[in-house]
Amino acid sequence: METVWFAIVSGMLAVYAVLDGFDFGAGIVHRFVARTDEERRTVFAAIGPIWDGNEVWLIAAGGVMFLAFPRVYSAAFSGFYLALMIVLWLLILRGVAIESRSQQANPLWREFWDTTFTIASALLAVVLGTSLGNVVRGVPLDATGWFAMPLFTNFRLGSRPGIFDWYTTLVGLFTFCVLGAHGAIYLAWKTSGAVQSRSRNWARKAWLVAVPLWALVTGATAQIQPVVFTNLLSRPWSLGFVVLMFAGFYGVFHFLKREQERDLAAFLSSSAFLLGVLGATMAGNYPFWLRSTLDPAHSLTAENAAANRHALQVGVPWWTIGIILVTAYFVLLFRSFRGKTDADAGDGH
């Protein structure tokens, strides 16, 4: 039962990364793919109906984590308090920027909020990628199940690292490039004309930068936590995530070469790549939620940090009902706003 809930929480976080990831990516590239106010309003219209709904997946994943692994929730929310506050403020800034930029016609006002949107989106991608790097690397968890970390120290690995070191920063930069490319592909799918053409070009450029970063992150992970790859090889079922990752990687470059309405296929391939990377990472990391850099015995795993088994069993049917309703809502939402967007679509953007 603990394994089931580990997969549930990991899956919800992966879905959040894919859905809110293209929001972040659209924010990262929107000043480059949209040069006029009308074009920028087209970009905002492409994400306007769904950006806030995507963020619900993060809140829901946190709630499920509290239900299934309360010790992990407690340790992570206290240890990563500074990082979580940064994420919270950046999410607030993104929302304020989206809703405020068209409240006045003043060009300086709109430039300010467009810049705020870009910076907040870029920093969110980096911070969330860095958080994944911390999960893989480990944190200074002590025997009481508590840890505290500064934002950075000397950028070196050790028993008491900062949230940012050379490895986690590398993961953050890789996440920044991949989500930028993911968002650009989404904009190529949802827009037309000059914005669509520029989005395709920026997606190709971002992927070309992401590939060597992917190789560097993979090599660094193999050096820092070789057990991740050992676990993947010893669990044949987890290799499905590796296949999904490489299939998505191939699909992105294959479909970006074409320009005959294959943008949706490229976006689905990009989504598959993200799901594959995150799925393989969490499968290789299982059963660890938080590794201790002080003493492996202090680590929090799916087994020693899980809630009462009865609570986990009771929670499964309720989670199933909830996820069916949420999935149906998102299917209806995307169907309702299918097709290309324009500058006049959306409300308040």
Side-chain angles (χ1 to χ4, degrees):
M1 188 58 67
E2 293 83 1
T3 302
V4 171
W5 282 100
F6 185 95
I8 287 174
V9 177
S10 299
M12 294 180 71
L13 290 173
V15 171
Y16 167 72
V18 170
L19 293 180
D20 222 17
F22 70 72
D23 285 347
F24 298 159
I28 292 169
V29 304
H30 94 285
R31 290 185 65 90
F32 305 102
V33 303
R35 297 175 182 174
T36 66
D37 184 67
E38 182 178 3
E39 289 177 348
R40 289 180 185 175
R41 285 191 289 118
T42 300
V43 170
F44 281 103
I47 64 172
I50 51 181
W51 69 269
D52 47 355
N54 291 341
E55 293 178 356
V56 171
W57 284 91
L58 180 61
I59 299 171
V64 173
M65 174 73 78
F66 179 74
L67 164 70
F69 304 101
R71 290 183 62 195
V72 177
Y73 180 93
S74 174
F77 272 67
S78 59
F80 291 125
Y81 184 81
L82 178 57
L84 288 170
M85 288 299 101
I86 292 174
V87 168
L88 177 62
W89 279 105
L90 290 173
L91 288 172
I92 291 173
L93 282 175
R94 286 184 79 247
V96 172
I98 291 173
E99 298 296 338
S100 298
R101 59 101 50 203
S102 292
Q103 297 301 315
Q104 292 190 31
N106 188 308
L108 184 60
W109 171 272
R110 294 188 174 184
E111 283 291 330
F112 171 79
W113 287 116
D114 287 348
T115 301
T116 299
F117 181 61
T118 298
I119 294 174
S121 299
L123 290 178
L124 271 168
V126 173
V127 172
L128 291 176
T130 301
S131 300
L132 178 62
N134 275 268
V135 171
V136 174
R137 180 204 61 196
V139 296
L141 198 68
D142 62 22
T144 66
W146 182 87
F147 70 96
M149 299 172 66
L151 199 58
F152 59 88
T153 54
N154 55 9
F155 281 89
R156 297 177 182 176
L157 299 174
S159 60
R160 294 188 178 276
I163 294 174
F164 284 88
D165 60 23
W166 69 264
Y167 171 72
T168 59
T169 302
L170 181 63
V171 178
L173 291 175
F174 168 66
T175 306
F176 168 80
C177 288
V178 169
L179 293 187
H182 188 52
I185 294 174
Y186 174 79
L187 292 178
W189 169 40
K190 295 296 291 182
T191 63
S192 58
V195 175
Q196 182 184 46
S197 178
R198 295 189 200 110
S199 296
R200 287 194 185 117
N201 290 333
W202 274 98
R204 296 186 187 102
K205 293 176 182 178
W207 273 105
L208 289 175
V209 175
V211 170
L213 287 175
W214 180 26
L216 288 174
V217 169
T218 302
T221 303
Q223 178 185 358
I224 295 169
Q225 290 293 354
V227 68
V228 171
F229 296 91
T230 302
N231 289 341
L232 282 175
L233 293 175
S234 65
R235 300 164 181 164
W237 57 268
S238 66
L239 296 179
F241 294 116
V242 179
V243 172
L244 181 65
M245 176 176 60
F246 280 103
F249 174 74
Y250 169 79
V252 165
F253 282 94
H254 176 70
F255 293 117
L256 280 178
K257 289 180 180 179
R258 307 185 181 189
E259 299 198 3
Q260 289 81 27
E261 300 298 329
R262 306 309 298 267
D263 296 310
L264 174 57
F267 175 72
L268 294 176
S269 297
S270 179
S271 300
F273 175 80
L274 288 172
L275 289 173
V277 168
L278 292 169
T281 301
M282 296 309 294
N285 215 47
Y286 177 81
F288 291 96
W289 275 118
L290 292 174
R291 282 188 174 87
S292 175
T293 58
L294 301 178
D295 186 343
H298 300 159
S299 301
L300 294 179
T301 68
E303 288 84 3
N304 66 21
N308 180 274
R309 178 170 287 268
H310 176 69
L312 297 180
Q313 292 173 341
V314 171
V316 169
W318 290 105
W319 177 86
T320 303
I321 294 171
I323 204 66
I324 289 174
L325 292 174
V326 169
T327 302
Y329 167 76
F330 271 85
V331 170
L332 178 62
L333 181 64
F334 275 87
R335 283 183 58 85
S336 299
F337 294 96
R338 63 185 180 273
K340 303 291 185 179
T341 58
D342 56 55
D344 295 323
D347 180 26
H349 311 298

